[in-house]
Structures are given as structure tokens and as C-alpha cells.
Amino acid sequence: MIPLKGSDLHIPWQKELARAFTTPEQLLDYLELDIAPWQDGLAARRLFPMRVPYPFADKMQKGNPQDPLLRQVLPLADEFAEVPGFVTDPLDEHDSALPGLLHKYRSRVLLILRGGCAVNCRYCFRRHFPYDDNSPGQGGWQPAVDYIAAHPEINEVILSGGDPLMARDEHIAALLNQLESLPHLKRVRIHSRLPVVIPQRLTDDLRDRLSQSRLRPVLVLHVNHANEIDEHLATRLHQWQRAGITLLNQGVLLAGVNDHADSLEALSERLFDAGVLPYYLYQLDKVAGAAHFDVSDDRARALMAELLARLPGFLVPRLVREIGGEASKTPLDLNLEPR
Ligand code: SF4
């Protein structure tokens, strides 16, 4: 487990958000790295702004230009490459049922609670998403709640974004009050990377509100590398798990970050140590500007076969790809030969 650094747990999450690194120069200086090799890529933050909170930077190894966490957040010249098949809307999401509501799967709706994120991951499939057109209008969440009320086949609401935990606890609690009044809803699921980059976002107030909900709460984290889980995060995740909140992880297979069996094995082990089950490992969504993170399907299959040989089945995430318009995630056939 990565040792604790600094006293960042005493800084409220909103303050950590406000003081995050927003330029490569600041971050590279903090990490004691020479800026010269990165010079060509600095302008890539005009394509997608840079944002990296201190607690996440503290998990990076100073002086290591190959750090797997740094690679996920540092703008690179590769982002300017135009690669066939890599497009601005890889999941065909730009048309929503209502502002702030996507109804992709029959029994689930996704509410885009907040447009922004605490960290801007360079491979993000929503890096071109028009959040301004997808925030609820003056009626707040009532139109979305009315939509869900009129669709009894929906039993689960997914709070997404951006990152839904960018919303304040009171805001989430108010939305929960509305959702809990809909009898056909069974679960509320929160997809967030924010606790990974600012662990103090897992507040006691939010944990208590979720654990008291009539709706079964699920928190799906987005962790890609074992180094992202330090003691701060693990301690809070244990508290949330003990409060009855189901903890799952979905990561993305990323070239230069986690595309080795040792790395993926360490990730699954550390997730489970922290009370989190590995759930999905995504093949990269082919979003413009992120082709340098792509891992071939053959390589992905080989990695999964290696993981199956090393780990118990419950620690092996399902390798999937999201395809716009499909009714569910599409598992990649591993083409395993019988032993
Ligand atoms: S936290 Fe998630 S939504 Fe936000 S930039 Fe990263 S991958 Fe994209």
C-alpha cells in the first residue's frame, strides 16, 4: 500500500478541487521533471483542459516521466493526431432523451448530474461532450423525475457526469429524496472517479445518506492502476463498505498505463484489499485525441487469459467494449482454448 503523504485529508474536497494543477508546467515542476521533452504537447490542453488535484499528484513518483498516473493526465502532442475511426462522439451520445438524461438501456437511466470532473483524463470518451446542452434547465430535475415516473420499466438510476460527486452532498440528497418517491426504482448507482483523486470526497454525510436510502446504493469507482489506491482512499472505502454500500470498479485498458498482466493483477488485488470488486475492464472508446492509449483486441485477450491463470475468477474483471446503440456492454470473446 502506498504510504500517506502530507496532511491533505484535512483539506475539504472543495478546496482541493479549487487548488488543482491546471497547467503541465506546474505539475511537472511539482514532480521534479524537466519540461523540455514535453514541450510539444503543452498546447494539447487547448483541446481538453488539464486538471489534476494534489492528492492524485502525490500518488505519482517524483522524477519518473513514465509514471502510469502521470500518463493519464498530462497533455501530449499525440492528442493532435487524426486517426481514422477515432471520433468526437464514439458512443453516439450527443442526443439525449431530455437535457441531463440518457436512456440507453431499457431498465436504467443515466442522469448527468454535473458536467465537470475533478480530474481530466486524457482518454475520456466524453472529452468532446456538450455538457452545456445537457444540464437540466430551469425545472431542475423535475422533468427527469417525471420521465422516470412515466417509465415503469426503469428500476435503476445511474448518477453520472462528468463526475456526479462534483455535486454537493445536499444536492445529491435532494435528488435522492425525489427518486425515492418512485416505487419502481430499486437501485441508485453512482459512477465516480472523484474519490480516487480526492479521497476526502467520500464524506461521512453522503455515506450516511446513501446507507439510509430505500434505494440500494452502489458506488462504481474508476481506478486504472494499483498506485491510485493509497491508505486514505482504502480507509474511506472500508467505511463505505461497512455502511452497506456496494463497491465496484470499472477501469480502462490503457497503453502505457496498465497494459501488462502484472499491473492488472496488482490492480485487482489492491481493489479487493480496499473492499472493491473488479467489475469491468473497458477497451478504450475510440475518441478523437486518445488513439495513443489504444490496446489491440488481441493484446487485451492475451492479458485477460493471463489474469484468468493468475487470479480467482471473482478478481478478474469482464473485458468489454461499449458500442453506441447496443442494449448492453459487449463482452469481448476471449477465444480461450480448452486446457
Ligand atoms: S473522471 Fe471520468 S468522465 Fe471525468 S474526465 Fe476522467 S474519465 Fe472522463
Side-chain angles (χ1 to χ4, degrees):
M1 190 73 67
I2 299 165
L4 302 178
K5 287 191 194 171
S7 59
D8 40 326
L9 261 200
H10 301 297
I11 300 175
W13 68 270
Q14 294 95 335
K15 283 204 172 154
E16 281 294 8
L17 208 52
R19 73 179 191 129
F21 295 101
T22 54
T23 70
E25 291 89 339
Q26 293 170 329
L27 179 61
L28 291 170
D29 183 56
Y30 186 73
L31 295 174
E32 298 166 8
L33 285 166
D34 178 12
I35 198 167
W38 313 96
Q39 205 72 40
D40 290 350
L42 302 186
R45 82 187 170 97
R46 287 204 303 271
L47 301 174
F48 185 44
M50 189 189 119
R51 196 206 283 248
V52 184
Y54 273 80
F56 194 62
D58 278 338
K59 298 177 199 178
M60 299 174 191
Q61 188 186 20
K62 290 202 172 178
N64 179 7
Q66 309 299 333
D67 186 277
L69 278 56
L70 176 64
R71 180 168 165 81
Q72 296 178 55
V73 296
L74 190 69
L76 296 179
D78 294 332
E79 295 178 35
F80 291 104
E82 291 185 19
V83 178
F86 284 75
V87 298
T88 54
D89 183 13
L91 302 186
D92 203 14
E93 282 191 330
H94 289 192
D95 287 322
S96 50
L98 279 177
L101 183 147
L102 295 171
H103 193 178
K104 297 202 284 191
Y105 306 124
R106 185 178 175 279
S107 61
R108 290 149 277 165
V109 286
L110 191 141
L111 299 185
I112 297 181
L113 209 56
R114 286 290 299 265
C117 293
V119 62
N120 282 350
C121 313
R122 308 312 299 177
Y123 53 84
C124 180
F125 72 101
R126 292 204 179 119
R127 54 183 279 161
H128 307 280
F129 192 78
Y131 286 114
D132 289 347
D133 302 342
N134 276 282
S135 49
Q138 291 195 334
W141 288 108
Q142 195 56 50
V145 172
D146 291 344
Y147 180 94
I148 298 166
H151 288 80
E153 72 276 16
I154 296 171
N155 62 21
E156 178 171 350
V157 171
I158 301 168
L159 306 185
S160 182
D163 197 309
L165 291 185
M166 292 285 277
R168 295 200 311 271
D169 288 353
E170 311 84 80
H171 183 169
I172 297 171
L175 178 58
L176 272 177
N177 289 341
Q178 288 181 280
L179 297 176
E180 284 163 348
S181 69
L182 303 176
H184 52 284
L185 286 185
K186 290 164 49 175
R187 290 180 295 276
V188 62
R189 189 178 354 150
I190 299 175
H191 281 235
S192 180
R193 183 152 167 77
L194 210 163
V196 181
V197 297
I198 307 178
Q200 52 271 54
R201 178 62 191 96
L202 294 179
T203 62
D204 295 352
D205 284 350
L206 184 58
R207 178 198 63 206
D208 294 346
R209 179 63 187 83
L210 285 167
S211 70
Q212 288 155 11
S213 178
R214 176 187 77 70
L215 304 173
R216 183 82 196 261
V218 180
L219 174 64
V220 182
L221 291 164
H222 174 179
V223 184
N224 298 320
H225 194 280
N227 291 0
E228 295 173 30
I229 303 178
D230 63 6
E231 286 180 47
H232 287 324
L233 179 58
T235 300
R236 295 208 174 201
L237 289 171
H238 282 304
Q239 291 166 350
W240 277 49
Q241 185 195 36
R242 281 199 297 274
I245 298 163
T246 299
L247 301 177
L248 304 172
N249 185 63
Q250 50 185 38
V252 184
L253 186 58
L254 298 166
V257 174
N258 58 10
D259 56 337
H260 289 280
D262 288 350
S263 172
L264 292 171
E265 180 185 11
L267 172 59
S268 280
E269 290 285 0
R270 197 162 298 171
L271 283 167
F272 192 67
D273 287 348
V276 184
L277 275 177
Y279 164 45
Y280 280 143
L281 182 66
Y282 280 88
Q283 269 293 50
L284 183 77
D285 297 315
K286 294 189 183 299
V287 65
H292 53 293
F293 286 110
D294 198 27
V295 176
S296 73
D297 284 357
D298 284 348
R299 171 90 182 126
R301 289 188 177 100
L303 288 169
M304 294 309 293
E306 185 68 37
L307 280 191
L308 284 165
R310 293 185 185 195
L311 289 167
F314 64 92
L315 289 187
V316 179
R318 292 180 77 195
L319 180 67
V320 294
R321 164 171 288 125
E322 188 140 15
I323 299 176
E326 293 290 317
S328 64
K329 310 277 184 290
T330 305
L332 264 74
D333 188 343
L334 298 185
N335 301 333
L336 295 176
E337 300 287 335
R339 292 189 177 229

